[in-house]
Coordinates of all heavy atoms in Angstrom, one line a residue:
A220 N 110.9 111.8 73.8 CA 111.1 113.2 74.4 C 110.7 113.1 76.0 O 111.4 113.7 76.8 CB 110.2 114.2 73.8
R221 N 109.7 112.4 76.2 CA 109.2 112.2 77.6 C 110.3 111.5 78.5 O 110.7 111.9 79.6 CB 108.0 111.4 77.6 CG 107.3 111.5 78.9 CD 105.8 111.1 78.7 NE 105.3 110.8 80.0 CZ 104.0 110.9 80.3 NH1 103.2 111.4 79.4 NH2 103.6 110.5 81.5
A222 N 110.9 110.4 77.8 CA 111.9 109.7 78.5 C 113.1 110.5 78.7 O 113.8 110.5 79.8 CB 112.4 108.5 77.7
E223 N 113.4 111.4 77.8 CA 114.6 112.4 77.9 C 114.4 113.3 79.1 O 115.3 113.6 79.9 CB 114.8 113.2 76.6 CG 115.5 112.3 75.6 CD 115.6 113.2 74.2 OE1 114.7 114.0 74.0 OE2 116.4 112.9 73.4
I224 N 113.2 113.9 79.2 CA 112.9 114.8 80.4 C 113.1 114.0 81.7 O 113.7 114.5 82.6 CB 111.5 115.4 80.2 CG1 111.4 116.3 78.9 CG2 111.2 116.3 81.4 CD1 110.0 116.7 78.6
E225 N 112.4 112.8 81.7 CA 112.4 112.1 83.0 C 113.8 111.7 83.4 O 114.1 111.7 84.6 CB 111.5 110.8 82.8 CG 110.0 111.2 82.9 CD 109.1 110.2 82.4 OE1 109.5 109.1 82.0 OE2 107.8 110.4 82.5
E226 N 114.5 111.4 82.4 CA 116.0 110.9 82.6 C 116.8 112.2 83.2 O 117.6 112.0 84.1 CB 116.6 110.5 81.3 CG 118.1 110.2 81.3 CD 118.5 109.0 82.3 OE1 117.6 108.2 82.5 OE2 119.6 108.9 82.8
R227 N 116.6 113.3 82.5 CA 117.3 114.6 83.0 C 116.8 114.9 84.5 O 117.7 115.4 85.3 CB 117.1 115.7 82.0 CG 117.9 116.9 82.3 CD 119.3 116.7 82.2 NE 120.1 117.8 82.6 CZ 121.3 117.7 83.1 NH1 121.9 116.5 83.2 NH2 122.0 118.8 83.5
M228 N 115.5 114.8 84.8 CA 115.1 115.1 86.0 C 115.7 114.2 87.1 O 116.2 114.6 88.2 CB 113.5 114.7 86.2 CG 112.6 115.8 85.7 SD 110.9 115.4 85.9 CE 110.2 117.0 86.1
R229 N 116.0 112.8 86.8 CA 116.6 111.9 87.7 C 118.0 112.3 87.9 O 118.6 112.3 89.0 CB 116.5 110.5 87.1 CG 115.4 109.7 87.7 CD 115.7 108.1 87.4 NE 115.7 107.9 85.9 CZ 114.6 107.9 85.2 NH1 113.4 107.9 85.7 NH2 114.8 107.6 83.9
E230 N 118.7 112.9 86.8 CA 120.2 113.2 86.9 C 120.3 114.4 87.8 O 121.3 114.4 88.5 CB 120.7 113.6 85.5 CG 121.0 112.4 84.7 CD 121.3 112.7 83.2 OE1 121.4 113.9 82.9 OE2 121.4 111.7 82.4
V231 N 119.5 115.3 87.7 CA 119.8 116.7 88.5 C 119.1 116.6 89.9 O 119.3 117.5 90.7 CB 119.3 118.0 87.7 CG1 120.1 118.2 86.5 CG2 117.8 117.9 87.5
S232 N 118.3 115.6 90.2 CA 117.5 115.5 91.4 C 118.5 114.9 92.4 O 119.1 113.9 92.3 CB 116.3 114.5 91.1 OG 115.6 114.5 92.4
P233 N 118.4 115.6 93.6 CA 119.0 114.8 94.8 C 118.2 113.6 95.2 O 117.0 113.6 94.8 CB 118.9 116.0 95.9 CG 117.7 116.8 95.5 CD 117.6 116.7 94.1
S234 N 118.8 112.7 95.8 CA 118.0 111.4 96.1 C 118.4 110.8 97.4 O 119.5 111.0 98.0 CB 118.2 110.4 95.0 OG 119.5 110.0 95.0
V235 N 117.4 110.1 98.1 CA 117.7 109.2 99.2 C 117.4 107.9 98.7 O 116.3 107.6 98.2 CB 116.8 109.7 100.3 CG1 116.9 108.7 101.5 CG2 117.1 111.1 100.9
A236 N 118.4 107.0 99.0 CA 118.2 105.6 98.5 C 117.0 104.9 99.2 O 116.9 105.1 100.3 CB 119.5 104.8 98.7
Q237 N 116.1 104.2 98.3 CA 115.1 103.6 99.0 C 115.0 102.1 98.7 O 114.1 101.5 98.7 CB 113.8 104.2 98.4 CG 113.5 105.7 98.9 CD 112.2 106.1 99.1 OE1 111.5 105.8 100.2 NE2 111.6 106.8 98.2
T238 N 116.3 101.6 98.7 CA 116.5 100.1 98.7 C 117.6 99.9 99.5 O 118.5 100.7 99.7 CB 116.7 99.5 97.2 OG1 117.9 100.2 96.7 CG2 115.5 99.8 96.3
M239 N 117.8 98.6 100.1 CA 118.9 98.3 100.9 C 119.4 96.9 100.4 O 118.5 96.1 100.0 CB 118.6 98.1 102.3 CG 118.1 99.4 103.1 SD 119.3 100.6 103.1 CE 120.7 100.0 104.2
D240 N 120.7 96.8 100.4 CA 121.3 95.4 100.0 C 121.5 94.5 101.2 O 121.8 94.9 102.3 CB 122.7 95.7 99.4 CG 122.7 96.5 98.1 OD1 121.6 96.4 97.4 OD2 123.6 97.3 98.0
A241 N 120.9 93.2 101.0 CA 121.0 92.2 102.1 C 121.5 91.0 101.5 O 121.6 90.9 100.3 CB 119.6 92.0 102.6

Side-chain angles (χ1 to χ4, degrees):
R221 194 161 160 152
E223 284 173 333
I224 299 172
E225 285 165 358
E226 174 64 23
R227 187 66 189 146
M228 278 182 150
R229 263 194 301 278
E230 279 169 11
V231 296
S232 178
S234 67
V235 172
Q237 297 211 76
T238 58
M239 292 302 290
D240 295 326

